[in-house]
Amino acid sequence: MSYSVGQVAGFAGVTVRTLHHYDEIGLLAPGERSHAGHRRYSDADLDRLQQILFYRELGFPLDEVAALLDDPEADPRAHLRRQHELLTARIEKLQKMAAAVEHAMEARKMGINLTPEERFEVFGDKDPEQYAEEAEQRWGGTEAYAESQRRAARYTKDDWKRVQAEVDAWSERYEALMASGEPPTGQAAMDLAEEHRRHISKWFYECPYEMHQCLGEMYVSDERFKAFYDSMRPGLAEHLRDAITANAARYAREA
């Protein structure tokens, strides 16, 4: 029994052009030809195509697929075991991603349900969801992101007012601290860095010192975060980053 290139393309859900390409590069040469020279694929060819498509679905480049399938030491059953293991791992990863997306969907549905007027009243000209899509792309699979979304979903307008009031009060004190010439390694700067960390833990997600230091680096390296903090006072992003580092070192010594 043999099959035409069109039939195989239909079976496998690939294009005829793809099968021609596989033949041209020696990855899948049909075992037979018709009298007219047309490609004819055997059951063994279909088995090999199935193997190729498994590995392609798992992200393997064509040259690696060829090397795997043409390895004289390879046992066909070993290929199936390997693919089963890889697919199982991928399924687990996709399930975790799906759970994270579900959390995000729930939070979006239940989250900051404020009218435009209320948003302006609470946040001024800053949109609290301005970077929501990017945050989801960066951290969507993390427990910190999921926890932040769960908490935000419960907050009322008054809660957001309290969050913003704390941010504004902290900003004023940090700006005054810099104006006084306080170094980032000074006691007052470290205390405000600690307050910054506790604010995150209180309202959004648990923020240990190591994570806080990563955030501090991002406040300097990401232009938008840097612009946000430097809008309070030029140089504040770097000053805060250094204060966060000093504060983490202080608590490490005391631990």
Side-chain angles (χ1 to χ4, degrees):
M1 187 72 180
S2 64
Y3 308 91
S4 70
V5 67
Q7 288 176 309
V8 174
F11 296 155
V14 298
T15 66
V16 170
R17 183 176 180 180
T18 293
L19 293 174
H20 286 177
H21 179 61
Y22 289 172
D23 185 8
E24 289 165 2
I25 66 175
L27 181 60
L28 179 64
E32 302 174 19
R33 292 275 179 172
S34 69
H35 292 300
H38 297 145
R39 296 172 174 86
R40 302 291 299 182
Y41 292 83
S42 67
D43 288 334
D45 297 329
L46 295 185
D47 287 342
R48 183 177 174 91
L49 177 59
Q50 184 184 50
Q51 300 291 321
I52 292 168
L53 296 180
F54 269 134
Y55 281 121
R56 289 295 288 155
E57 179 66 22
L58 291 166
F60 284 72
L62 291 177
D63 56 347
E64 289 188 24
V65 174
L68 286 166
L69 295 183
D70 295 333
D71 181 359
E73 303 293 325
D75 179 348
R77 289 173 299 181
H79 279 299
L80 291 174
R81 284 194 297 270
R82 175 177 173 79
Q83 289 166 350
H84 184 269
E85 291 169 359
L86 292 169
L87 286 169
T88 300
R90 182 171 182 181
I91 288 168
E92 290 176 357
K93 181 178 180 181
L94 289 173
Q95 286 174 335
K96 290 179 180 178
M97 291 174 63
V101 171
E102 286 172 7
H103 283 307
M105 290 168 58
E106 181 181 359
R108 286 291 180 84
K109 180 175 65 178
M110 300 169 59
I112 307 175
N113 294 319
L114 303 179
T115 66
E117 293 78 10
E118 288 173 328
R119 288 189 185 210
F120 188 85
E121 178 185 347
V122 174
F123 300 105
D125 59 356
K126 296 187 288 294
D127 184 352
E129 293 184 343
Q130 183 178 4
Y131 303 127
E133 184 175 347
E134 181 182 347
E136 188 172 332
Q137 291 173 350
R138 281 192 181 191
W139 302 296
T142 66
E143 178 56 33
Y145 178 84
E147 178 62 20
S148 177
Q149 293 294 85
R150 285 193 292 268
R151 293 193 197 183
R154 298 193 297 265
Y155 291 160
T156 65
K157 174 184 172 183
D158 287 339
D159 290 325
W160 287 114
K161 280 186 173 182
R162 285 192 286 272
V163 171
Q164 191 60 35
E166 287 187 13
V167 171
D168 291 342
W170 178 90
S171 301
E172 289 178 8
R173 285 181 287 125
Y174 207 101
E175 183 181 358
L177 174 144
M178 287 186 66
S180 70
E182 175 76 12
T185 54
Q187 180 76 31
M190 289 190 290
D191 287 347
L192 281 179
E194 176 64 13
E195 187 176 326
H196 181 277
R197 187 188 70 83
R198 291 183 179 179
H199 174 87
I200 295 171
S201 294
K202 173 184 175 182
W203 291 103
F204 300 105
Y205 52 85
E206 189 61 33
C207 183
Y209 291 101
E210 183 177 1
M211 181 183 290
H212 199 212
Q213 289 181 86
C214 291
L215 292 175
E217 293 295 339
M218 185 179 66
Y219 297 157
V220 174
S221 62
D222 188 302
E223 289 300 322
R224 285 159 302 182
F225 281 103
K226 190 173 189 301
F228 170 78
Y229 282 105
D230 285 354
S231 68
M232 302 175 191
R233 182 181 177 89
L236 194 148
E238 291 187 1
H239 195 285
L240 174 59
R241 185 269 314 274
D242 293 344
I244 288 172
T245 300
N247 182 58
R250 172 178 63 166
Y251 276 86
R253 289 193 300 271
E254 295 175 357

